[in-house]
Amino acid sequence: MKNVYLPITVDHIARVEGKGGVEIVVGDDGVKEVKLNIIEGPRFFEAITLGKKLDEALSVYPRICSFCSAAHKLTALEAAEKAVGFTPREEIQALREVLYIGDMIESHALHLYLLVLPDYMGYSGPLHMVEEYKREIKTALDLKNLGSWIMDELGSRAIHQENAVLGGFGKLPDKSVLEEMKRRLKEALPKAEYTFELFTKLEQYEEVEGPITHIAVKPRNGVYGIYGDYLKASDGNEFPSEEYREHIKEFVVEHSFAKHSHYHGKPFMVGAISRLVNNADTLYGRAKELYESHKDLLRPTNPFANNLAQALELVYFTERAIDLIDETLSKWPIRPRDEVEIRDGFGVSTTEAPRGVLVYALKVENGRVSYADIITPTAFNLAMMEEHVRMMAEKHYNDDPERLKFFAEMVVRAYDPCISCSVHVARL
């Protein structure tokens, strides 16, 4: 008898940023095909900045995504400054990292509590959890609001931060604001630790257990963080950021407006768990202690460990921001900005956005952008994500279709995808 294949579809994956779906084609003999249908339309951010003045282009790039706007702004800014041969002072770099950490704290808190946790607590969304899980929802909002406030104070607004400019900042907050920021971060540390302890109790599904190649930015100055000049893979390979195209290849798939990516011909993963796999030896403080005592749960072979890795990073980056503010205050007062001579050149910046490695490559000619290439974490992750959805489907294709859909969506949410970021691309 001829085998009949039936599609099981999720038209819209709930509780992720952007619009995407899942299609799983199954038959009596198993899973035939799995596709992540990224159906949010492309928006051509690279192409629309060609020919624009450099400072104008730098105001466009954060508009790729409101969730990750600080990551896009600061990565584009570093690429631009590298292109024109300018290096910011250490205190400016420190404050930019604090601004970036604000994005990290807000994004991780939102993802963990409002997007992931409802799955484990048996709810369709966070609003339904309020009565039974008041502490968790309040913790989520407190941490998210802290990150948003940090970006507002240092970036002039919580999204699309225009205060970060070539050479530094348009203006700096008063010293008292930084002291208040430090106080609020210290108050947030117990909430970050509570988040970590909560997520140690949640299941990491064995159906998707298997080898994963992880890629992360090698931290600059040997301290776990956001900025770096090399990319590091869990196979032991390291290479300068400028050589990313020699090792990572993007390609078009017919069912997605976002490209997929391979590292040396194979899918790979980026994100919080990838940062820990490659850079855990550069952690310090309370996060280092928690990592050492829970290393068995931070498994490099399971994408669900990404949730716990983000929870650990809430602890780490809260402590890191306090230290960076202390360093800045020890040099206070500081100039907000240095003049930047706009020269022709090419620059590449690789940073760690909340969802993983973010790449910007910019060429500047006659003060204008003549080439732009951007690869976002979700574009890096899509091929691996699709493979993990397939692994989950192969274990549950005989289940009730709604149960299979639920598990497929959980796999996608573990990656914390930002679909809007992933579909920005254009062929230049």
Side-chain angles (χ1 to χ4, degrees), residues 24 26 30-32 34 207 387-398 404:
I24 303 168
V26 301
V31 177
K32 180 183 180 184
V34 172
E207 292 94 325
E387 178 60 27
H388 279 131
V389 173
R390 172 182 281 277
M391 291 170 68
M392 184 65 83
E394 286 173 346
K395 298 293 185 180
H396 292 281
Y397 74 92
N398 278 323
L404 174 55

Side-chain angles (χ1 to χ4, degrees), residues 39 46 64 127 196 212 216 220 223 236 256 320 376 410:
I39 52 182
E46 291 149 321
I64 288 174
L127 293 179
F196 181 77
I212 304 172
R220 194 175 290 162
V223 178
S256 172
R320 178 66 178 153
T376 65
M410 282 192 75

